[in-house]
Amino acid sequence: MKKKVIGLIDGQSGNIGSINKAIKDIIKGKPYQLKIIKSHFNYTSFDKIILPGQGAYATLMSNLKKLKIIQPLKKYLENNSSYLGICVGMQILSDWGYEDKTTRGLGIISGDIKKFRNKKLIIPHMGWNTINLNKDDTVITNSFDMKDFYFVHSYIFQNIKKSDVLAFTLYDQKFPSIVKKGNIYGVQFHPEKSHKHGLNLIKNYILKS
Amino acid sequence: MLKTRIIPCLDVIKNKVVKGVNFKNIRVMGNAVEMAKYYSLSGADELCMLDINASYQNRKTFIKTVESIAKVINIPLTVGGGVSDLSDITDLLNAGADKVSINSAAVKNPKLIRQASLRHGSQCIVVAIDGKRYKNKMKVVIKGGREITKNELITWAKQVQSLGAGEILMTSMDTDGVQNGFDSNMLKKVTSNVRIPVIASGGVGSLEHFYLGHLTKSTGLLAASVFHSRKYKIKTVKKYLNSKGVPVRL
């Protein structure tokens, strides 16, 4: 049987060690193989792509540009191929990011990435917070409803269509914590740092989507 | 709702968790990797580990220990102790730390905070501040409290925030190691003057101390002895806090 190919993009935006290890543990003994993407790639040769990210929107976009990853990634996503974006890896699915400077995103899920509204809020939103499901699917099953995940971010998805929001979280204001459009998923939290529920989410994404 | 984080702290020499005051009477509490794994499984929200004897020889083993720990836990890991420049920070992040804590080096060279946060993002730069009362003022101290700097505590806390620190790990040297509770007064002064997360450290001895720590508006509560000595399990602390209406991850 032909193995399914999972691409893990190293956008030089934080450490990919934990997510790399989580994926390897999940696919051990199963018909999958993991490839690290660090430069231009053939978008038709991947079944799934995961992009973890930390830090700033503009930094990740400029890293991906330098690595010549933007163009194939855009084609891959426009094809509605399977994708999981983590934190900034989710945020760059939007049209625009307003962190540090205004940066054009991949434009896959319409909306902008802007700061939390309340200027008195403790920022970054750092720690474990609850996700509330609007609807479930094979990856984001009901079992994740009201569970805690680990967040570290200061910017949130705004002006997003309600139908693209799978789950929201409350930190002074409601914000999208899981977005989905077709086969494209994005999570604002870090599943690779979110203990068993986080690992289950990655597992579901790999094995059930 | 955002949960208050319970953070066990491991003081490490090479690969052993130790307890000791000013390097005297150092007692080995256990193997660092085993203890980290145990805390991750038993409900810790984050883990903090500090190289308390960052000599050249010990450093290599310590970094290996960070690598081993990062492989067996799946909660965030903050690593500090002996961080003196940008390359130390990069080494620790590459070894699997999610956040790196800087203390004396930041006091000596505040620009390091800005350089580090620009390179790696604010979210992974923690500035550890040791505070102590001196002549009716709260001052920043280094070298485990033995050297009082010219920095006034609140001014320094605001400065590290503006330089790009993502979080402050606030230890009061007036309460550390005594187990009489966090330094509520000092912590409140800090939390009311910054808007980045503050982790309270130094002085926990009872369950109520955790609750009082929460009341200072610190979003993380760090403790070592009460966990290492098995006086309390993390679950016990969280159940207690939950019963007092504090949001925790159960």
Side-chain angles (χ1 to χ4, degrees), chain A:
Chain A
M1 196 162 94
K2 197 172 171 287
K3 284 187 173 180
K4 285 194 176 175
V5 184
I6 302 169
L8 175 63
I9 299 180
D10 183 357
Q12 295 171 3
S13 160
N15 200 309
I16 64 162
S18 321
I19 184 81
N20 188 15
K21 188 188 170 278
I23 299 168
K24 278 185 182 161
D25 286 349
I26 291 164
I27 64 176
K28 210 172 184 177
K30 297 193 173 69
Y32 291 86
Q33 62 167 313
L34 175 63
K35 285 185 179 169
I36 309 291
I37 298 173
K38 285 182 176 171
S39 56
H40 186 275
F41 62 98
N42 179 353
Y43 71 93
T44 58
S45 49
F46 289 89
D47 298 288
K48 286 173 197 295
I49 286 182
I50 298 176
L51 172 52
Q54 269 182 11
Y57 191 107
T59 312
L60 180 58
M61 283 305 287
S62 89
N63 288 353
L64 294 179
K65 199 171 175 185
K66 269 183 231 152
L67 300 168
K68 303 198 186 334
I69 286 176
I70 299 247
Q71 188 225 356
L73 180 61
K74 248 188 133 168
K75 285 221 164 110
Y76 178 87
L77 294 167
E78 281 161 5
N79 251 352
N80 189 25
S81 309
S82 175
Y83 174 86
L84 175 64
I86 295 171
C87 197
V88 194
M90 155 204 169
Q91 294 186 344
I92 59 164
L93 292 169
S94 67
D95 297 319
W96 295 96
Y98 292 92
E99 185 170 1
D100 300 338
K101 53 187 175 200
T102 306
T103 311
R104 188 186 281 279
L106 298 171
I108 300 297
I109 295 182
S110 57
D112 308 316
I113 304 300
K114 291 183 170 169
K115 222 169 186 163
F116 280 100
R117 268 197 306 266
N118 185 347
K119 300 250 180 306
K120 287 181 180 158
L121 205 56
I122 296 176
I123 290 293
H125 171 228
M126 186 186 282
W128 299 77
N129 204 336
T130 314
I131 64 164
N132 305 271
L133 294 194
N134 286 335
K135 51 198 166 198
D136 63 339
D137 69 9
T138 53
V139 174
I140 310 300
T141 56
N142 251 326
S143 65
F144 294 116
D145 194 24
M146 303 298 286
K147 295 292 191 295
D148 290 328
F149 290 85
Y150 190 82
F151 290 82
V152 188
H153 62 118
S154 306
Y155 290 75
I156 51 176
F157 220 128
Q158 297 186 0
N159 308 320
I160 185 172
K161 276 189 218 143
K162 221 182 160 187
S163 55
D164 293 339
V165 180
L166 212 56
F168 68 89
T169 292
L170 188 66
Y171 185 57
D172 188 67
Q173 66 183 99
K174 274 185 182 182
F175 69 88
S177 42
I178 305 180
V179 300
K180 186 199 177 189
K181 191 175 179 185
N183 297 316
I184 296 159
Y185 290 87
V187 293
Q188 179 58 70
F189 48 83
H190 288 272
E192 77 282 14
K193 294 288 154 201
S194 299
H195 210 246
K196 57 181 181 200
H197 299 308
L199 295 182
N200 281 337
L201 191 148
I202 299 169
K203 196 171 172 180
N204 279 1
Y205 169 71
I206 291 174
L207 304 178
K208 294 183 182 167
S209 76

Side-chain angles (χ1 to χ4, degrees), chain B residues 64-112:
Chain B
K64 286 220 168 83
T65 308
V66 175
E67 282 172 5
S68 308
I69 288 179
K71 277 185 192 139
V72 295
I73 65 170
N74 33 42
I75 55 173
L77 175 65
T78 299
V79 185
V83 175
S84 56
D85 55 28
L86 278 175
S87 71
D88 287 335
I89 296 172
T90 309
D91 287 350
L92 291 173
L93 292 172
N94 286 340
D98 297 295
K99 306 185 226 179
V100 172
S101 153
I102 328 170
N103 193 335
S104 317
V107 175
K108 285 178 201 149
N109 173 23
K111 276 185 206 149
L112 180 62

